[in-house]
Amino acid sequence: MRDYSKPRQVFILAGLSESGKSYAGMFFDKRGVKRLKYVKLFAREQLKENPEINPYKLLEQSDLPEEEQVQRAVRSLKDICESEDIPYCSIESMVKPSTAIALKKAIGEDKVKIIYFEIDEEIRLHRQMERESVDYEVAKRIMLPRDQKKIIFGTTKIKEIADIVIDNSGTKDDLNQKLLKLIDKYCR
């Protein structure tokens, strides 16, 4: 029987589009905190059978109750962490508060920190412009519909249940320092 002592620490990353979740996931990954996506954890078995499947559509169209979706993701997480000897990881793109809470309970409240990235819409739009090399209007057409979908799911309410809220309106260096402090505090 497997000893599911891993993961020892999980960061659940949440926020609206261009808030810094993916950047944080990549930053963590380069420093030994494995970057994972919730949707791919949920769809792991199906992706093994059919790598062409769209995990986002699979989750969106799933008729499984949320509790079963979370249990499936947690089994995948624990299997990955044990088989790849991963003590620390981040799970990106949490959109529902209820899913974040259920994940925290299923993994272990002492092992999970829910992190919400807060940033003004104007700054996020300018970052979208920079990243995609587009003008302001195009950035709005790209980002705002994604935000609306996340808002409907309740993403902004995750801030209310977050263990840590990161103001990401500063520079990358500011964010890097905040992320390094999290690694130093929780992953040693």
Side-chain angles (χ1 to χ4, degrees):
M1 182 175 212
R2 281 191 135 147
D3 169 24
Y4 285 118
S5 61
K6 291 186 179 81
R8 292 198 315 241
Q9 183 65 57
V10 177
F11 296 133
I12 295 176
L13 310 179
L16 293 175
S17 303
E18 298 300 323
S19 63
K21 301 176 303 294
S22 293
Y23 179 85
M26 290 184 282
F27 183 92
F28 286 144
D29 198 57
K30 289 177 185 172
R31 287 152 184 86
V33 179
K34 178 78 171 171
R35 179 185 187 205
L36 301 167
K37 297 253 186 187
Y38 177 74
V39 68
K40 290 186 178 175
L41 290 171
F42 166 77
R44 183 170 177 244
E45 293 305 313
Q46 290 87 341
L47 286 166
K48 281 182 187 175
E49 294 169 16
N50 180 4
E52 303 300 314
I53 199 165
N54 181 331
Y56 295 93
K57 286 216 184 295
L58 189 67
L59 181 60
E60 196 173 282
Q61 296 169 352
S62 175
D63 58 357
L64 285 176
E66 183 176 51
E67 185 177 316
E68 288 180 45
Q69 292 177 11
V70 167
Q71 288 306 318
R72 181 184 287 184
V74 169
R75 278 193 306 275
S76 294
L77 172 69
K78 289 182 176 184
D79 285 345
I80 290 167
C81 289
E82 284 296 319
S83 66
E84 297 179 27
D85 195 28
I86 298 168
Y88 312 111
C89 64
S90 67
I91 301 176
E92 259 180 70
S93 303
M94 190 57 48
V95 295
K96 290 179 167 180
S98 56
T99 304
I101 290 168
L103 267 175
K104 187 171 184 170
K105 285 181 182 170
I107 295 166
E109 304 232 358
D110 59 322
K111 294 181 176 189
V112 176
K113 295 295 176 219
I114 300 171
I115 304 171
Y116 186 82
F117 292 84
E118 184 170 54
I119 182 170
D120 181 71
E121 183 179 285
E122 281 301 308
I123 296 171
R124 292 185 301 113
L125 280 167
H126 284 288
R127 289 184 181 172
Q128 180 78 54
M129 290 168 56
E130 223 177 273
R131 192 167 66 85
E132 299 288 335
S133 299
V134 296
D135 68 27
Y136 187 80
E137 290 304 314
V138 172
K140 280 173 59 175
R141 286 196 304 271
I142 293 170
M143 191 183 89
L144 296 183
R146 291 190 328 230
D147 277 359
Q148 285 307 309
K149 196 173 191 179
K150 289 176 183 178
I151 289 167
I152 290 167
F153 281 128
T155 301
T156 54
K157 289 181 171 59
I158 293 176
K159 180 181 176 185
E160 298 166 17
I161 60 154
D163 300 295
I164 300 159
V165 176
I166 292 180
D167 174 2
N168 187 18
S169 56
T171 66
K172 277 189 181 176
D173 285 340
D174 294 337
L175 180 58
N176 291 349
Q177 290 307 309
K178 292 172 185 178
L179 299 175
L180 282 171
K181 285 180 182 176
L182 293 176
I183 293 170
D184 287 343
K185 184 171 183 175
Y186 297 109
C187 302
R188 299 285 176 228

